[in-house]
Amino acid sequence: MTHLPENTRALVLKKSPVERTPLYHDAVVEVRGIPALKEGEILVKMGAVAFNHRDLWIRLGQYPGISFGAILGSDGAAAADAADPLLHKRVFLTPMRGWESAPDAPESMPAFGVVGGCSKPPLGTFADYVIVERDQVVLSPDHLDDVHMAAWPLGGLTAWRAAIVNAQVAKGQNVLITGIGGGVALVALQICIAKGANVYVTSGNQDKIHKAVTLGAKGGVIYKSKDWPNQLAQLIAQDSGVGSAAPAQLDAVIDSAGGDIMTQVNKILKAGGKVVVYGMTAEPQIKFTMREVMKHHRLIGSTMGSHQDLIDATKFMAEHRITPVVSHILDGLEAAEKGFELLKGGEQFGKIVIRMKESKASL
């Protein structure tokens, strides 16, 4: 019989001292007991875990439903550690609960929740060991190690839902992905390229645009420039070999910024084109005018995805041998604060991952 550990280290959310300004909750490594497994549960040993911006927003008090004492982290790759047919097999954890297969939105919005830092669901990945429902783990594709596998779940699911389910990106289409460098944007880039689309990007950093081009993007523009839509139109025209009489246009935009994105792309988005927004880092409102109405432009909100979406996305990722981009690899939960500082800086290109260490507390 497999010996199960009695306790585990975990990165836990603690309430900020009242006098701290601005508000910034603590993330503390604690040793916690591992309860007995219930029917339908397995214990997994985490090999690597990854940060998402929601982890930072939770500490800033800018995320709904946070729970002090909750374990942080939505993403993680692991190996089953209990007596189970999955024993020693490499898996990753599903990053959400409450959305199985409904095509348009979760079956019940009140039941939907993202793993880590909240009371619903009551678990997080930033721990040596995690108890998880057996039907909430997915076998890891053979071409990825734990570090790169940990960089996939939340970002891969969000990117798939935005690009494939909602934008319906297809071969030969022109697609713009804004804010390249973040985990979701980069996976969306990789998925769209694998689909055979012509992908363009925006960034505030020229180096990130160059890196995106090495991954297969056609080109990109600096969004800090006021005339970036015109610059992008010129790029598309050059690549398409068409003149101003019949300008090539975008079929879809995958956006993380919000704000003026609809009015900015109005002239370069084809009639009936889609703008799929999965985040609003620039401004928590989107301007939508009669000009967009007259061109039949469609604005689609997209958050996470279903369990079935995750299965479909992972199958596609495995078939196309997509490797999520990792920016920084940190060693052990003790290095978590460095990860938060990197998120604050915003200079990363890809995911920030913690490679887990063997823990005396977990033996």
Side-chain angles (χ1 to χ4, degrees), residues 14 45 49 87 99 106 128 151 264 309 323-324 337 343 351-352:
K14 296 291 185 179
K45 182 177 182 181
V49 299
L87 181 62
W99 190 357
D128 294 315
Q264 288 171 327
D309 289 332
T323 299
E337 200 60 42
L343 281 176
K351 297 284 279 189
I352 301 165

Side-chain angles (χ1 to χ4, degrees), residues 130-316:
V130 175
I131 292 177
V132 62
E133 310 96 302
R134 193 184 188 282
D135 61 359
Q136 296 297 330
V137 297
V138 181
L139 287 174
S140 297
D142 293 338
H143 75 286
L144 296 182
D145 58 19
D146 282 349
V147 166
H148 291 87
M149 190 69 252
W152 168 256
L154 190 149
L157 174 59
T158 302
W160 177 265
R161 180 83 191 177
I164 304 304
V165 177
N166 286 323
Q168 298 178 320
V169 170
K171 183 177 181 179
Q173 291 186 339
N174 294 325
V175 179
L176 172 65
I177 299 175
T178 66
I180 202 67
V184 177
L186 283 168
V187 176
L189 168 69
Q190 293 173 300
I191 289 173
C192 291
I193 289 172
K195 273 286 186 178
N198 306 309
V199 183
Y200 300 86
V201 301
T202 70
S203 176
N205 183 310
Q206 190 64 51
D207 184 55
K208 290 185 178 182
I209 292 175
H210 289 320
K211 289 179 178 178
V213 170
T214 65
L215 290 174
K218 290 287 187 179
V221 294
I222 299 293
Y223 62 72
K224 296 176 182 178
S225 174
K226 290 184 178 180
D227 69 337
W228 70 259
N230 291 329
Q231 296 175 24
L232 181 59
Q234 292 174 13
L235 275 179
I236 297 172
Q238 291 170 8
D239 293 336
S240 303
V242 298
S244 58
Q249 295 185 306
L250 293 169
D251 295 275
V253 179
I254 312 299
D255 179 62
S256 61
D260 294 330
I261 186 63
M262 295 299 300
T263 56
Q264 288 171 327
V265 301
N266 177 279
K267 292 183 178 180
I268 56 174
L269 182 64
K270 74 175 188 180
K274 307 179 189 76
V275 176
V276 179
V277 178
Y278 65 87
M280 291 191 178
T281 57
E283 188 178 335
Q285 296 183 43
I286 295 178
K287 186 176 181 180
F288 195 91
T289 73
M290 196 62 192
R291 291 172 59 214
E292 287 73 64
V293 174
M294 295 300 290
K295 288 190 70 174
H296 304 274
H297 286 167
R298 285 174 278 179
L299 172 62
I300 304 171
S302 188
T303 301
M304 297 289 290
S306 69
H307 195 145
Q308 186 59 53
D309 289 332
L310 182 61
I311 298 300
D312 295 342
T314 303
K315 180 180 178 182
F316 182 88

Side-chain angles (χ1 to χ4, degrees), residues 11 13-14 16 20 23-28 53-63 66 72 336-337 340-341 344:
L11 190 69
L13 182 68
K14 296 291 185 179
S16 171
R20 182 180 293 162
L23 176 70
Y24 192 55
H25 300 305
D26 292 320
V28 180
H53 272 96
R54 74 180 295 274
D55 300 310
L56 179 59
W57 294 333
I58 285 171
R59 292 191 64 184
L60 291 169
Q62 298 174 359
Y63 196 88
I66 66 175
L72 293 161
E337 200 60 42
F340 284 106
E341 291 303 312
K344 285 182 184 178

